[in-house]
Amino acid sequence: MELKEQVQEAAAWIRTRDARAFDLAIVLGTGLGALADEIGEARVIPYDEIPHFPASTVKFHAGRLVLGELEGKTLLAMQGRFHGYEGYPMRQITLPIRVMRALGIQRLILTNAAGGIRPELTPGSIGLIRDHINLMGTNPLIGPYDPELGVRFPDMSEPYSAVLRGLARRIAAEQGVTVHDTIFGAVIGPAFETEAEIRMLQILGVDTVGMSVVPETLVARQLGMEVLALTAVTDQSLPGAMVSVSHEAVNHVAAELGPRFRALLRAIIRTI
Ligand code: HPA
């Protein structure tokens, strides 16, 4: 079945469960899923019930849609996401973004856990992604072209909305929370980086490195959606001071940062 038909079927199926009009969507990354539990009037749909959605295979990712109300907005939250390293094709990983657009959603907040590779990006700090470098060696927009999927050659001069970034910075300042402007480097994973790879990433101008966000941003931009992306820096790797990183540690730091991160997200959702 063609991608656009999968998108239509999934969107139509979700509408049968929840006919509300959504103001925005949010993707909650590793260790950051707790925000979905604060959503009111919630309708919860496990991914494996939705036609054409892959099943989430990552520990610490709940793997469900939570539809409901938060801070006066009606939102669609993904509690857990799909990654390239799970073995799904990039087009499948990003299907939910296309489904969001088919449901009429224009604005997308992405969150993720990532490693800091600059001295100031210590575990527990928050990054605001200004731009990215796609080092995944693939792209979710590869494949047969159909105008209904968006433009063939999407513009990437402003992948992350300057307006939304300004708003996030202003709200963070009001809350006394420091957010770091970051260039995010996306790698395919699932192995964490070697010291030589960290050195390479630094030379390339990367500030934070992770295994998600970029495929979703590429698809969202192809569809003309506005994207805001916030990172929980969960570990730090610096050449000469490499420490061992684990998924457990990443999840632990993200969860610890959680209350501060959630307060920022809620204020952004209220204001957006
Ligand atoms: N590297 C890649 N992905 C990550 C990291 C990291 O250090 N931390 C969390 N996700």
Side-chain angles (χ1 to χ4, degrees), residues 113-115 187 192-193 209-211 234-235 237 245 250:
V187 296
F192 291 115
E193 294 68 40
V209 58
M211 304 170 193
T234 51
D235 53 274
S237 296
V245 184
V250 164

Side-chain angles (χ1 to χ4, degrees), residues 9-23:
E9 275 194 15
W13 187 90
I14 291 168
R15 274 209 190 89
T16 65
R17 300 297 157 107
D18 195 333
R20 284 177 283 195
F22 302 103
D23 298 308

Side-chain angles (χ1 to χ4, degrees), residues 1-266:
M1 187 187 282
E2 282 188 37
L3 182 60
K4 68 175 176 189
E5 288 161 357
Q6 294 186 356
V7 171
Q8 288 311 325
E9 275 194 15
W13 187 90
I14 291 168
R15 274 209 190 89
T16 65
R17 300 297 157 107
D18 195 333
R20 284 177 283 195
F22 302 103
D23 298 308
L24 76 155
I26 182 163
V27 179
L28 300 167
T30 305
L32 303 169
L35 186 78
D37 301 328
E38 298 175 8
I39 293 173
E41 313 286 321
R43 192 139 301 166
V44 177
I45 309 175
Y47 295 151
D48 57 12
E49 289 181 13
I50 306 170
H52 313 298
F53 266 48
S56 188
T57 66
V58 190
K59 207 168 119 187
F60 305 129
H61 280 250
R64 55 197 201 167
L65 285 189
V66 182
L67 315 169
E69 314 287 329
L70 191 68
E71 298 291 349
K73 300 281 161 43
T74 305
L75 77 165
L76 178 156
M78 286 184 71
Q79 203 175 23
R81 58 149 64 82
F82 307 110
H83 304 82
Y85 61 74
E86 293 175 80
Y88 299 116
M90 284 282 157
R91 274 161 84 92
Q92 221 57 36
I93 290 167
T94 50
L95 181 89
I97 308 299
R98 296 193 181 280
V99 171
M100 290 169 189
R101 187 69 198 88
L103 290 169
I105 297 169
Q106 262 296 348
R107 286 175 301 186
L108 174 63
I109 301 176
L110 299 172
T111 68
N112 70 332
I117 64 165
R118 303 283 173 197
E120 68 276 19
L121 293 168
T122 50
S125 50
I126 297 175
L128 174 62
I129 303 181
R130 173 160 54 88
D131 203 349
H132 71 230
I133 302 181
N134 178 11
L135 296 163
M136 290 181 151
T138 184
N139 188 305
L141 310 183
I142 293 172
Y145 179 58
D146 182 328
E148 283 183 41
L149 300 177
V151 294
R152 170 84 283 193
F153 303 104
D155 171 52
M156 285 294 150
S157 57
E158 191 188 308
Y160 303 91
S161 161
V163 172
L164 294 184
R165 280 187 287 122
L167 180 115
R169 258 196 306 271
R170 177 167 61 74
I171 291 168
E174 282 167 12
Q175 297 195 339
V177 173
T178 303
V179 292
H180 300 265
D181 232 41
T182 49
I183 305 297
F184 175 69
V187 296
I188 194 79
F192 291 115
E193 294 68 40
T194 66
E195 186 166 23
E197 286 167 344
I198 296 293
R199 200 174 292 118
M200 173 194 76
L201 291 166
Q202 286 184 335
I203 291 167
L204 293 178
V206 169
D207 301 311
T208 52
V209 58
M211 304 170 193
S212 63
V213 168
V214 165
E216 294 151 354
T217 297
L218 291 169
V219 168
R221 292 305 300 148
Q222 184 185 41
L223 295 168
M225 296 165 80
E226 280 181 275
V227 181
L228 177 71
L230 289 161
T231 297
V233 177
T234 51
D235 53 274
Q236 185 181 49
S237 296
L238 297 173
M242 295 294 287
V243 290
S244 123
V245 184
S246 72
H247 187 54
E248 283 68 23
V250 164
N251 186 63
H252 180 74
V253 176
E256 230 174 46
L257 174 59
R260 230 181 339 133
F261 204 83
R262 285 201 293 281
L264 178 61
L265 282 174
R266 287 184 71 130

